[in-house]
Amino acid sequence: MPIRKTAAPPLQRGLACLSCRKRKLKCDGKKPVCSSCIKMKRADECEYEDRRQKSRTQKLKEKLKKLEDRIKELEGPAEGTSSDVAESSSSPFLLGPMPDLDSVDFSALSDIDPTTVMPTWSNSSGSPSSSSGSLSVPVSRAVTSSPFNQSMENPFDSLSSVFGMSGYPPSSYPEIPSSSWDPSTPLPDEQKRVLLDIFLAHRHQCWFDSDVSRFQAFSDSQSSRPEPHPALLNAIFLLGCFFARNPFYSDLEAHFLSKTLHEITVALDSSDRLVDVVQASCLLALYLYTNCRTLEAYCHSFSAARLAVGLGLHQIQPKDLDQSRASSSASSSKPSNTPIAIEKPKNHVELRDRISAFWQVFMVDRCWSVANGLPVALPDGEHHQGRIKTPWPEACLGIPGMRLDVGLTGESGKSPVHLPSLKAKAAALYERTFRLASDARQTDAFWTEHNSACMALQRFNETLPHFVGYEAFRTQAPFVDVELLSIHTIANVCAINLRRSSLEMETIQSANYIMSLIRQLNQADFEFLDPLLSACWSCVAKLYIQILVNSAFNPNPDAALVAEQELDLLVSVMKTLGMYFPLANQHATKIEEERSMLASSFM
């Protein structure tokens, strides 16, 4: 009688090699190289975690220590630099060094591959943005067809004809003659307005929701509002040059970048208009993130978060709103009781700006830290000093003088909603669901938190307006509501995060819904898309790559064909977005590399 082979016992949790764990593949745990890695010809990637020597948290701490050391190097002026640049190099760190690593909560990153947390950095290109499980919620929203729907076969393949020989996307903005301004002199008012108008057309991509009237009154000597700090103005001019995408404007980016860094240093030294400094640091971080300079961007984002907490922007109380409504309150000019002394807001507009500044910091910190696999800086714990108490941006709508028609979207039978509030709530869910997806501990506490997040996501989806796609009343780009598209995308990312461990039907529906949003885009819309979408699309692409991996072991030609088609479309739209934001090109390259490696593994 033939002897039947008994099945190998399942491998104990945590003993699989890091390569198989990263790809969620079955591993037999053989050393020095497991069978799966031998079969897929990646023996050089087969590594095991030495549980007796270093835990994953310890390794992550070591990586963060390297980051801290690198920051200290950046603080010192390099030889041959001008005094302005030398001073500005330390501007993000004047509030003190990064916190003691022992005090950082690493639980949210317990399942992150440490090698993705501290990538190699250089001045020209930053660390690759890691995928954060980022994509969608199976939101059953009506999606109407658009006259700009692209062909499935070749959606965005004529980029060279669209962008021309210069390599720049076409610009609709007027060019400032190079002979009209010497960078060593102040920027004339007329040219300030040109750059400001460009920035305002793209402010939603920077999550900048502050009152803009004081930026527009350059020559209004009767204005009661204090002039914005030069740090914030130069950050706005920097992004105005960046969004213009014109050779002349691009040449000015280095000048405004240097000026912004210098002015942040000056402002911190003199404690001058520090709320403006918070917003300037946020804008600077977004500029650097989208240009693949991740380490620098994280430093400025971290600095903005620390400063916001020091100013007490995370704990603006309802009583502050009441005092702002009674603008004659005698206490309005007294310093607030915060770690960094700051006067209480003088009027409702100033208070609104502080609330908007905090939520801008919150969204930059939550979304971009998660997208790059880095710890968030803003606290949100049980301790009263760290708990976030600032009301959602929609609270500003009740303040006299605020225009209720700005940023509102509504449907028949539903109350109006405030887009900045929806974006802030989406950012909170994005970080929360990613943290759960990264937690390998399947404890009762985990499932309690998981169920709570699911219910929170469901409640959030019920407040979302329908995305209707092409809107006929729009006479120029964008032809769709790009802000609502981003919110729907992030919401579906959250759903994928909550089900990342398996390819359930709901997960596939979430990915398919995001693809339906993509297919309603016109090429002219890409200039106005949130650059964070590239990280979201990258996560959808990884989901389809996982489908291809599963199809290799359990053949499913139809599923594999659909996944291949969707990957083609995702890479195409990433490259299209990459013409405006270099980070998207980086994501497209990574997806192509993973796809190529997968193809070679099964040859």
Side-chain angles (χ1 to χ4, degrees):
M1 182 176 180
I3 299 175
R4 297 178 60 184
K5 293 184 178 179
T6 58
L11 196 64
Q12 185 178 348
R13 187 177 184 84
L15 296 183
C17 75
L18 296 178
S19 178
C20 290
R21 287 166 65 179
K22 182 178 180 181
R23 293 173 171 82
K24 299 186 185 300
L25 298 177
K26 187 176 181 181
C27 179
D28 56 13
K30 291 183 178 179
K31 297 182 179 180
V33 182
C34 72
S35 301
S36 296
C37 289
I38 293 176
K39 181 178 179 180
M40 296 190 176
K41 300 179 181 179
R42 55 166 185 266
D44 56 329
E45 297 182 30
C46 189
E47 297 180 359
Y48 288 88
E49 185 177 74
D50 192 343
R51 302 175 69 86
R52 294 172 299 178
Q53 295 182 11
K54 295 181 182 179
S55 66
R56 176 161 294 202
T57 298
Q58 289 173 320
K59 291 182 178 180
L60 183 56
K61 286 183 178 181
E62 291 178 0
K63 294 292 182 181
L64 289 175
K65 183 62 169 62
K66 292 180 181 179
L67 174 62
E68 189 178 20
D69 292 340
R70 179 57 178 155
I71 288 172
K72 291 179 180 177
E73 291 179 16
L74 292 175
E75 289 183 354
E79 293 182 3
T81 58
S82 66
S83 59
D84 282 359
V85 176
E87 285 183 63
S88 65
S89 66
S90 63
S91 60
F93 320 108
L94 294 180
L95 297 176
M98 297 179 74
D100 181 8
L101 296 178
D102 293 333
S103 66
V104 177
D105 179 12
F106 292 95
S107 60
L109 302 170
S110 58
D111 198 38
I112 293 179
D113 183 355
T115 59
T116 66
V117 176
M118 267 300 300
T120 303
W121 173 83
S122 67
N123 288 330
S124 58
S125 63
S127 66
S129 172
S130 78
S131 69
S132 58
S134 38
L135 283 149
S136 45
V137 160
V139 187
S140 301
R141 303 293 183 192
V143 180
T144 60
S145 60
S146 162
F148 297 109
N149 282 353
Q150 302 296 330
S151 166
M152 276 289 297
E153 298 177 358
N154 219 348
F156 299 102
D157 61 351
S158 57
L159 300 183
S160 59
S161 61
V162 173
F163 299 118
M165 298 300 292
S166 67
Y168 287 90
S171 175
S172 58
Y173 304 114
E175 180 175 319
I176 302 175
S178 57
S179 59
S180 64
W181 179 53
D182 178 2
S184 64
T185 63
L187 189 65
D189 288 349
E190 181 182 355
Q191 295 169 344
K192 287 180 181 178
R193 288 191 175 90
V194 171
L195 292 176
L196 177 63
D197 288 343
I198 295 173
F199 171 79
L200 293 180
H202 297 270
R203 59 185 293 201
H204 63 278
Q205 293 161 283
C206 305
W207 303 332
F208 188 86
D209 189 47
S210 295
D211 178 67
V212 298
S213 60
R214 63 180 178 138
F215 299 99
Q216 297 169 325
F218 290 114
S219 58
D220 185 5
S221 59
Q222 304 299 320
S223 176
S224 61
R225 299 293 311 282
E227 183 181 351
H229 193 279
L232 181 54
L233 285 174
N234 280 284
I236 287 174
F237 298 151
L238 168 65
L239 283 161
C241 291
F242 174 67
F243 286 123
R245 285 143 189 136
N246 177 284
F248 172 74
Y249 287 99
S250 297
D251 290 342
L252 296 179
E253 286 182 37
H255 168 76
F256 286 116
L257 175 60
S258 176
K259 289 288 291 181
T260 302
L261 290 168
H262 174 66
E263 293 297 345
I264 288 176
T265 302
V266 172
L268 291 173
D269 284 341
S270 58
S271 297
D272 181 19
R273 287 167 281 182
L274 294 180
V275 176
D276 285 357
V277 175
V278 169
Q279 293 186 291
S281 297
C282 283
L283 295 178
L284 188 56
L286 284 166
Y287 171 81
L288 295 168
Y289 272 129
T290 56
N291 282 283
C292 306
R293 296 166 65 170
T294 305
L295 176 58
E296 295 169 275
Y298 182 67
C299 291
H300 289 284
S301 173
F302 195 98
S303 176
R306 287 178 63 105
L307 181 55
V309 172
L311 296 171
L313 300 184
H314 67 309
Q315 293 189 337
I316 296 175
Q317 298 291 301
K319 64 181 180 181
D320 298 323
L321 293 171
D322 296 336
Q323 289 175 357
S324 72
R325 295 185 176 100
S327 56
S328 60
S329 172
S331 63
S332 62
S333 61
K334 294 180 180 179
S336 59
N337 185 22
T338 57
I340 300 177
I342 180 176
E343 288 188 352
K344 291 187 177 181
K346 297 181 178 64
N347 51 52
H348 57 269
V349 180
E350 238 182 74
L351 179 67
R352 179 187 188 273
D353 283 348
R354 293 187 186 186
I355 294 175
S356 298
F358 171 74
W359 288 113
Q360 183 187 20
V361 173
F362 178 88
M363 289 185 283
V364 171
D365 176 55
R366 287 294 194 267
C367 291
W368 285 101
S369 295
V370 164
N372 289 282
L374 294 165
V376 296
L378 278 172
D380 190 15
E382 292 300 321
H383 194 275
H384 68 91
Q385 292 183 346
R387 192 177 305 146
I388 294 174
K389 300 177 182 178
T390 299
W392 295 109
E394 62 197 17
C396 299
L397 297 177
I399 298 176
M402 294 298 101
R403 293 188 301 165
L404 299 182
D405 59 330
V406 176
L408 291 175
T409 304
E411 299 176 25
S412 58
K414 287 189 177 182
S415 300
V417 292
H418 192 219
L419 284 179
S421 292
L422 289 179
K423 292 167 76 172
K425 293 172 183 178
L429 287 167
Y430 182 58
E431 185 273 335
R432 184 180 181 184
T433 56
F434 171 77
R435 176 163 33 90
L436 287 168
S438 303
D439 192 348
R441 300 169 297 177
Q442 307 292 303
T443 61
D444 291 342
F446 167 85
W447 287 113
T448 299
E449 172 66 13
H450 184 278
N451 293 336
S452 175
C454 287
M455 289 188 289
L457 184 58
Q458 182 179 356
R459 290 193 300 270
F460 176 73
N461 288 329
E462 290 171 355
T463 68
L464 278 183
H466 293 293
F467 178 76
V468 298
Y470 167 69
E471 296 174 332
F473 68 86
R474 296 176 182 267
T475 58
Q476 60 184 18
F479 296 100
V480 299
D481 190 333
V482 289
E483 291 188 83
L484 193 56
L485 181 142
S486 296
I487 295 169
H488 274 271
T489 299
I490 294 174
N492 281 271
V493 170
C494 295
I496 292 179
N497 283 344
L498 291 173
R499 302 178 179 87
R500 191 188 295 186
S501 59
S502 61
L503 293 176
E504 299 177 8
M505 181 57 67
E506 291 87 350
T507 309
I508 304 301
Q509 288 175 346
S510 296
N512 290 343
Y513 179 71
I514 291 176
M515 300 307 296
S516 75
L517 297 178
I518 290 174
R519 290 189 171 90
Q520 295 180 81
L521 291 171
N522 176 7
Q523 282 185 338
D525 296 329
F526 279 76
E527 180 180 359
F528 299 92
L529 292 180
D530 191 327
L532 185 69
L533 286 177
S534 66
C536 296
W537 294 344
S538 179
C539 293
V540 175
K542 290 176 183 296
L543 180 66
Y544 286 121
I545 288 175
Q546 183 63 38
I547 292 175
L548 292 178
V549 172
N550 290 356
S551 297
F553 293 98
N554 301 295
N556 187 338
D558 292 337
L561 177 61
V562 170
E564 290 281 3
Q565 291 176 337
E566 300 297 62
L567 280 171
D568 288 339
L569 178 58
L570 284 166
V571 170
S572 294
V573 296
M574 285 185 199
K575 288 182 177 179
T576 304
L577 189 61
M579 297 300 297
Y580 301 97
F581 304 105
L583 178 66
N585 262 336
Q586 191 177 76
H587 282 138
T589 300
K590 285 178 172 293
I591 294 303
E592 288 182 315
E593 289 174 353
E594 288 191 30
R595 195 175 179 184
S596 177
M597 288 176 58
L598 178 65
S600 62
S601 298
F602 294 101
M603 287 182 62

